[in-house]
Amino acid sequence: MKPKLALPVLVAVGAWLLTGCGGAPAGGSATVGGEQVPTSGTPAPSASSGDRSGRGKAQVVMQNIEFSPASITVKKGETVRWTNRDSVAHTVTADSGARFDSANLNARGVYEYTTTHAGTIHYYCRIHGKQMSGTITVTG
């Protein structure tokens, strides 16, 4: 490899690795380097812009290798916001009822998903398995 090409190639490979080796997770947004990045075609409202839709945000905390609260009920169109308060990484991955999968969320990482239809969504952490799981009940 020619020396002039080394830096651009390294930057491209680094960007590819940061996006999960081929694409962004589906269905929400993640905080990367302090900035919220959409992970689907419809970005969730950013923390700085607020929720302009008039709908609320449900809060879930990742702490002590669990989601708290483990079960929540929200209205269709409401945004769920997960915040990692552990010192280890977690993911928020839908198991059934929806399609979303966050990137690894390090300490203080945030992920948001805006519900689109009524039903029950089961999710878990891909790193810690089904022992770290939660449920969202979405009402019409």
Side-chain angles (χ1 to χ4, degrees):
M1 180 180 309
K2 295 181 181 179
K4 290 182 181 180
L5 294 177
L7 184 58
V9 169
L10 287 173
V11 169
V13 169
W16 178 69
L17 289 171
L18 286 174
T19 62
C21 304
S29 63
T31 300
V32 178
E35 183 175 329
Q36 193 168 25
V37 179
T39 59
S40 72
T42 306
S46 69
S48 60
S49 67
D51 185 4
R52 296 183 194 151
S53 67
R55 298 180 182 112
K57 287 187 184 179
Q59 304 286 327
V60 177
V61 172
M62 294 172 271
Q63 193 167 18
N64 300 319
I65 317 295
E66 65 183 16
F67 294 107
S68 180
S71 296
I72 60 170
T73 300
V74 299
K75 293 181 182 176
K76 183 174 88 171
E78 191 171 354
T79 298
V80 180
R81 179 184 178 108
W82 290 266
T83 304
N84 185 358
R85 291 196 182 148
D86 269 336
S87 60
V88 298
H90 295 295
T91 72
V92 182
T93 305
D95 187 288
S96 66
R99 287 190 65 209
F100 56 82
D101 187 11
S102 72
N104 287 352
L105 300 171
N106 293 320
R108 296 183 307 279
V110 172
Y111 179 73
E112 290 185 344
Y113 172 76
T114 301
T115 60
T116 58
H117 61 279
T120 302
I121 301 170
H122 297 278
Y123 64 92
Y124 69 104
C125 172
R126 281 185 287 111
I127 297 168
H128 296 100
K130 301 290 179 160
Q131 82 249 9
M132 185 176 176
S133 62
T135 303
I136 305 167
T137 302
V138 184
T139 61

